[in-house]
Amino acid sequence: MEQVKNRTNTSAFTPDAFLEYLKSLKISFVQYHHPAVFTVKEAKFLRGNIPGEHCKSLFLMEKAGALYLIVCLEWRRLDMRALAELLGSKRLSFGKPKLLLEKLGVVPGSVTPFGVINDTNPDDQQVTVILDQEMMKASQVNYHPLVNTMTIGVTPECLVRFLVDCNHTPLILDMDKVTKVENKFQPEK
């Protein structure tokens, strides 16, 4: 199978093709099917008892054009001003759905770190992936495989291996510094 970093095809991966790609990298995953979910609240209700840490992904941009994919534990409520400061940005906003589809090949509700498989145009601004340091301590982390009717669980090490293979070496940051304390709810383990 063709290496992602050498791929110039501009068409987005399908979920099935993506899962086959993971297999070609010998990345183990556990796959779960569930009704479509669009928010963390819906996911908590509809996903059932999927083990591991559940995560959310935020596609953000700054006015100057930099693009970020923030991947953190689902319970975090991020202070956008503090996050912008941590990233050395003046101001962050959510990326538009059209840009999300163009860059990561997904629609709102399906944002995932696996979307970087579609961020391959060397002439465009590449998405910077930021991972939650605490999330990376889990034995299993869960994300959508490009569609919000499935979840797959992988180890944090496999996630990083995938990201590096896609030429998106992530930054791993302490998200406690940008989590709103009054709304911080960490579920019991």
Side-chain angles (χ1 to χ4, degrees):
M1 183 171 274
E2 191 176 14
Q3 288 288 321
V4 171
K5 56 187 113 194
N6 297 327
R7 194 168 56 89
T8 57
N9 180 3
T10 57
S11 63
F13 268 66
T14 65
D16 288 339
F18 161 71
L19 294 173
E20 287 302 314
Y21 189 78
L22 285 184
K23 290 175 188 175
S24 78
L25 294 177
K26 299 192 180 352
I27 290 179
S28 299
F29 59 90
V30 183
Q31 183 176 354
Y32 307 92
H33 293 269
H34 50 73
V37 294
F38 295 91
T39 65
V40 169
K41 187 175 181 178
E42 286 179 345
K44 287 179 180 180
F45 180 73
L46 293 173
R47 71 175 167 237
N49 295 319
I50 297 174
E53 291 291 348
H54 295 277
C55 308
K56 65 182 176 183
S57 301
L58 307 173
F59 181 63
L60 304 175
M61 62 185 296
E62 63 179 18
K63 194 173 186 176
L67 302 171
Y68 298 96
L69 184 63
I70 310 300
V71 185
C72 62
L73 295 165
E74 72 175 3
W75 53 263
R76 289 199 187 274
R77 182 166 169 161
L78 301 178
D79 178 330
M80 296 296 276
R81 287 184 183 179
L83 180 60
E85 188 175 309
L86 180 67
L87 298 176
S89 174
K90 290 184 179 180
R91 183 172 175 254
L92 295 171
S93 61
F94 286 94
K96 303 289 184 214
K98 182 179 178 183
L99 183 61
L100 173 63
L101 184 61
E102 177 185 310
K103 295 300 291 177
L104 300 181
V106 297
V107 296
S110 298
V111 183
T112 173
F114 298 126
V116 301
I117 197 168
N118 294 312
D119 186 21
T120 59
N121 187 339
D123 298 327
D124 283 348
Q125 173 70 38
Q126 192 176 50
V127 176
T128 300
V129 179
I130 309 293
L131 301 178
D132 181 343
Q133 182 177 349
E134 188 169 334
M135 174 185 76
M136 300 306 287
K137 297 175 185 175
S139 58
Q140 177 176 308
V141 286
N142 297 296
Y143 311 101
H144 294 309
L146 308 179
V147 65
N148 65 355
T149 56
M150 286 187 280
T151 295
I152 62 170
V154 297
T155 65
E157 296 78 18
C158 284
L159 173 64
V160 171
R161 190 158 50 100
F162 166 80
L163 293 169
V164 169
D165 187 78
C166 291
N167 203 25
H168 282 73
T169 301
L171 300 174
I172 300 174
L173 300 178
D174 181 357
M175 293 292 177
D176 285 344
K177 297 176 182 179
V178 297
T179 299
K180 292 183 179 181
V181 177
E182 71 275 9
N183 292 313
K184 184 176 175 182
F185 170 73
Q186 184 173 4
E188 292 181 32
K189 299 205 179 205

